[in-house]
Amino acid sequence: MHGMNLLSDRMQVALHRVGLKQAELARLAGVSRQTINDWTHDRAKNIRGANLLAACKVLGVRPEWLASGKGEMLPEEGSIPLEYEERVERVIQCYLRADEKGKLLIEGVADHVGAQRPSPLDLDLETN
């Protein structure tokens, strides 16, 4: 996007896109109103870490775009929403640490959720 070199410009566009006021973003992202004011009035040159991720989660924009202006503003269709990335990572770590029976159980639950088929948990409960 042309004219998106400044964090303040990107922040204004993202706020307008979702129809939020600065105070609402501050509350939802868990940062101070002064921080949001700095981001939107060119008093902060960058945003990173937990504040970047919190703002992106609320605004629905990609962290790379908000932080630097590079890449696309919006996540790709089908990408994992930011609010789920931590949970997905936790599931992956559980799967990697699981023994074969645990892996089969995790896969069965995933199949059940994805296809609304009976999960191994349901089958085990019915047979016991």
Side-chain angles (χ1 to χ4, degrees):
M1 292 182 126
H2 180 65
M4 293 290 114
N5 292 330
L6 299 175
L7 171 61
S8 58
D9 294 335
R10 294 187 300 277
M11 190 61 69
Q12 292 287 354
V13 167
L15 281 166
H16 179 74
R17 180 184 156 273
V18 294
L20 286 178
K21 299 202 180 305
Q22 291 180 26
E24 294 168 314
L25 176 59
R27 181 179 56 79
L28 293 169
V31 299
S32 72
R33 292 174 99 177
Q34 183 59 52
T35 296
I36 301 296
N37 198 24
D38 290 346
W39 292 345
T40 57
H41 289 91
D42 203 28
R43 287 189 291 274
K45 300 299 179 205
N46 59 45
I47 177 177
R48 58 184 175 268
N51 286 348
L52 171 64
L53 296 178
C56 288
K57 179 179 174 182
V58 173
L59 297 169
V61 298
R62 295 179 59 170
E64 302 83 13
W65 177 82
L66 189 58
S68 68
K70 294 179 182 168
E72 297 296 320
M73 176 180 168
L74 302 176
E76 293 178 22
E77 185 72 30
S79 66
I80 298 172
L82 202 54
E83 63 265 24
Y84 297 122
E85 285 184 9
E86 186 176 303
R87 291 178 183 174
V88 169
E89 180 63 29
R90 213 170 79 225
V91 170
I92 290 169
Q93 291 304 318
C94 287
Y95 182 84
L96 293 173
R97 288 191 307 269
D99 61 13
E100 284 306 308
K101 185 176 180 181
K103 287 179 180 176
L104 288 173
L105 183 61
I106 292 168
E107 291 169 6
V109 170
D111 288 343
H112 168 70
V113 170
Q116 294 302 308
R117 295 186 302 207
S119 80
L121 292 175
D122 294 334
L123 297 175
D124 286 344
L125 291 174
E126 292 172 6
T127 58
N128 289 334

